[in-house]
Amino acid sequence: MSSHMTGRGTAGRPGAWPVRIRRATARDAKRLTALVRNSRAYEGPYAPMVAGYRVGPDYIDAHEVHVAVGDDGRVVGFYALVLSPPELDLMFVADTAQGLGVGRTLMTHMSERARAAGVTAVRVVSHPPAEGFYRSVGARRVGTVIANPPTVMWDRPELVIAV
């Protein structure tokens, strides 16, 4: 399944930036892994969480994983929706595409996919710096997930997105 959605320019960047959302395939695994591991959002104290992270073909096959592809064919973002129980497990936008509406476009698509699957709400355990983004797209904070050393050394906001 593929759909064309357009992200709106934000963060002082006028205009729209078109992306196509499509289902991820096993061939995307290396690109998605690179997006996770190279994210500037996980530098410094957050780096250990993604240092060895891998988005494998088996993960892509087992979950609702969708990618945002720019006009030039590059993957510029993705999300992974786990349906049971409903949770946004991963959501990444390439550093070079942040602020262009790609994240909002992915979230709209994720909500549509969740709704089509009969889901009414999706849980998000957010990277702390991303909480503001999730709240800006309608998520509400419902709690805190306590740190789980040695992998996750910090508490994380728990949010819910009504779909």
Side-chain angles (χ1 to χ4, degrees):
M1 176 177 165
S2 178
S3 62
H4 184 80
M5 303 181 86
T6 302
R8 291 195 191 122
T10 58
R13 298 175 186 160
W17 200 63
V19 293
R20 182 174 53 87
I21 308 292
R22 66 165 171 79
R23 183 78 187 240
T25 67
R27 294 179 58 182
D28 293 312
K30 287 183 181 178
R31 280 181 279 210
L32 302 186
T33 296
L35 257 176
V36 171
R37 288 185 184 176
N38 296 326
S39 174
R40 284 194 315 245
Y42 285 87
E43 291 179 333
Y46 299 116
M49 186 173 174
V50 297
Y53 202 88
R54 179 179 166 272
V55 180
D58 53 334
Y59 181 88
I60 291 169
D61 289 341
H63 303 294
E64 286 273 335
V65 182
H66 294 266
V67 297
V69 180
D71 280 344
D72 60 0
R74 284 186 312 123
V75 172
V76 294
F78 78 100
Y79 73 85
L81 174 64
V82 175
L83 291 173
S84 184
E87 182 170 355
L88 180 64
D89 191 39
L90 298 169
M91 213 303 254
F92 282 83
V93 174
D95 294 335
T96 57
Q98 290 186 11
L100 299 175
V102 175
R104 289 181 185 281
T105 302
L106 284 167
M107 292 302 294
T108 298
H109 190 271
M110 183 278 302
S111 292
E112 291 169 358
R113 295 296 299 167
R115 194 175 307 112
V119 170
T120 59
V122 175
R123 177 182 189 237
V124 179
V125 178
S126 176
H127 180 48
E131 180 181 6
F133 166 76
Y134 289 116
R135 292 177 70 133
S136 79
V137 295
R140 68 180 169 80
R141 187 164 182 165
V142 295
T144 300
V145 175
I146 304 303
N148 185 19
T151 306
V152 181
M153 303 298 290
W154 58 92
D155 295 347
R156 294 168 291 157
E158 180 180 15
L159 304 109
V160 171
I161 299 172
V163 297

